[in-house]
Amino acid sequence: MTKQVICMKWGTLYGADYVNRLYAMVRQQVSGPLRFVCLTDNRTGIRQEVECHDCPTIDLPEPKCRLGWRKLTLYRRSEHLFGLEGDWLYLDLDVVVSASLDPFFEFEPDKTFVVMQNWTQPGKGIGNTSAYRFRVGADEYLFDNLIANQSSIFEQFRNSQTYISRNVKELTFWPDEWCVLFKTHCVPSWPARFWQEPVLPPTARVVAFPGDPNPHDAVQGNWPVKKAYKKLYKHIRPARWIQRIWDDAEAQAKGVEG
């Protein structure tokens, strides 16, 4: 069975290097045939192994049409999604894949939507859509409802993942130990973060990086802040294991190409 993985890239926050690294990590951690798709508004620099299609737009007002709400286009039927069919594992560009992804395709195979726990609001039944599996067309009502009732939905829900979690017909979570947040599970508590490096939990398969720092910042030990006083607690040492994961995955990807 071909395993199917999809990501989205629009705007300038993440370059082609993030798509290429994500592909390399996925290829390393997925056994057997792989179909890797990127929906993007700029294909420049994306490696040839990645199947690219135009990033779908969404009929929402600015700036929401450029925020996470745009990911709702993935819930449409196949004819609106470049003929894609079946089950897909969606990954945000800024995740780090640290162990085998095969279990993500095997877990609860009858479920049409499986997502990681939102660790900033644990136990509240909200998913983090940095990593989720979906079945094309199974939950198109989420997209249709958003377009038809966007004003009331924006009043109720501050972001797309809360809207999805509260409205999807069946919400299933990955095992908690599979998906972690960098800031929650990897960064040492204060003040130890000033002398201890971030750690990779041994059971983690996907590390998500919502907000700051992004992985390229974390590698360098940089936590960008807009207000100087936040440097008192938003501090990290370099997470060198991220670079090791990237380098190992890229080396293996090049070996497969060769």
Side-chain angles (χ1 to χ4, degrees), residues 1-255:
M1 179 189 75
T2 297
K3 298 181 177 73
Q4 303 186 124
V5 178
I6 193 167
C7 64
M8 299 178 79
K9 183 182 85 70
W10 69 85
T12 58
L13 182 59
Y14 301 107
D17 55 332
Y18 263 86
V19 179
N20 295 338
R21 280 195 299 244
L22 181 61
Y23 168 81
M25 290 185 289
V26 169
R27 179 63 280 181
Q28 182 183 40
Q29 299 296 351
V30 167
S31 64
L34 169 68
R35 184 182 183 187
F36 189 100
V37 168
C38 178
L39 307 183
T40 182
D41 61 359
N42 184 358
R43 308 181 187 199
T44 304
I46 296 177
R47 62 196 311 156
Q48 62 180 6
E49 300 95 329
V50 176
E51 176 184 337
C52 291
H53 297 281
D54 292 339
C55 191
T57 58
I58 190 166
D59 188 17
L60 298 176
E62 291 278 356
K64 290 183 170 58
C65 62
R66 295 182 286 105
L67 301 178
W69 296 97
R70 194 169 183 175
K71 285 157 57 171
L72 265 294
T73 57
L74 290 176
Y75 295 83
R76 305 199 72 188
R77 295 192 305 274
S78 178
E79 56 264 37
H80 301 294
L81 203 59
F82 312 102
L84 304 183
E85 296 180 336
D87 290 348
W88 290 79
L89 177 64
Y90 172 87
L91 296 172
D92 270 349
L93 292 179
D94 60 351
V95 303
V96 171
V97 180
S98 56
S100 174
L101 293 176
D102 289 348
F104 286 78
F105 299 93
E106 301 159 358
F107 180 80
E108 298 283 2
D110 294 332
K111 303 296 185 182
T112 61
F113 181 75
V114 188
V115 66
M116 71 177 284
Q117 181 82 237
N118 183 24
W119 290 110
T120 60
Q121 299 167 288
K124 294 189 176 181
I126 299 174
N128 180 325
T129 55
S130 294
Y132 64 93
R133 194 185 72 217
F134 69 100
R135 186 165 299 158
V136 172
D139 297 306
E140 190 181 33
Y141 60 91
L142 291 170
F143 174 87
D144 294 339
N145 183 45
L146 171 62
I147 299 303
N149 303 291
Q150 51 192 265
S151 296
S152 61
I153 287 172
F154 293 150
E155 289 178 3
Q156 276 186 277
F157 304 104
R158 57 189 291 265
N159 55 51
S160 60
Q161 62 190 20
T162 305
Y163 163 69
I164 293 168
S165 300
R166 294 292 182 247
N167 288 275
V168 70
K169 61 189 175 186
E170 187 175 19
L171 183 65
T172 304
F173 291 106
W174 306 115
D176 286 348
E177 63 272 16
W178 289 5
C179 303
V180 300
L181 292 189
F182 179 74
K183 286 181 288 191
T184 301
H185 300 94
C186 304
V187 176
S189 58
W190 192 92
R193 63 184 56 172
F194 280 89
W195 61 83
Q196 292 180 4
E197 293 186 9
V199 297
L200 174 65
T203 60
R205 298 178 184 273
V206 171
V207 183
F209 288 76
D212 289 319
N214 282 303
H216 64 268
D217 295 314
V219 165
Q220 298 173 358
N222 177 36
W223 191 332
V225 295
K226 294 180 180 179
K227 297 180 179 179
Y229 74 88
K230 291 188 176 182
K231 291 184 178 180
L232 294 173
Y233 60 94
K234 289 192 172 183
H235 177 89
I236 53 171
R237 294 181 63 79
R240 292 179 290 180
W241 47 269
I242 297 174
Q243 190 67 55
R244 288 197 294 270
I245 288 173
W246 286 345
D247 292 345
D248 289 348
E250 187 59 41
Q252 181 166 320
K254 288 181 177 178

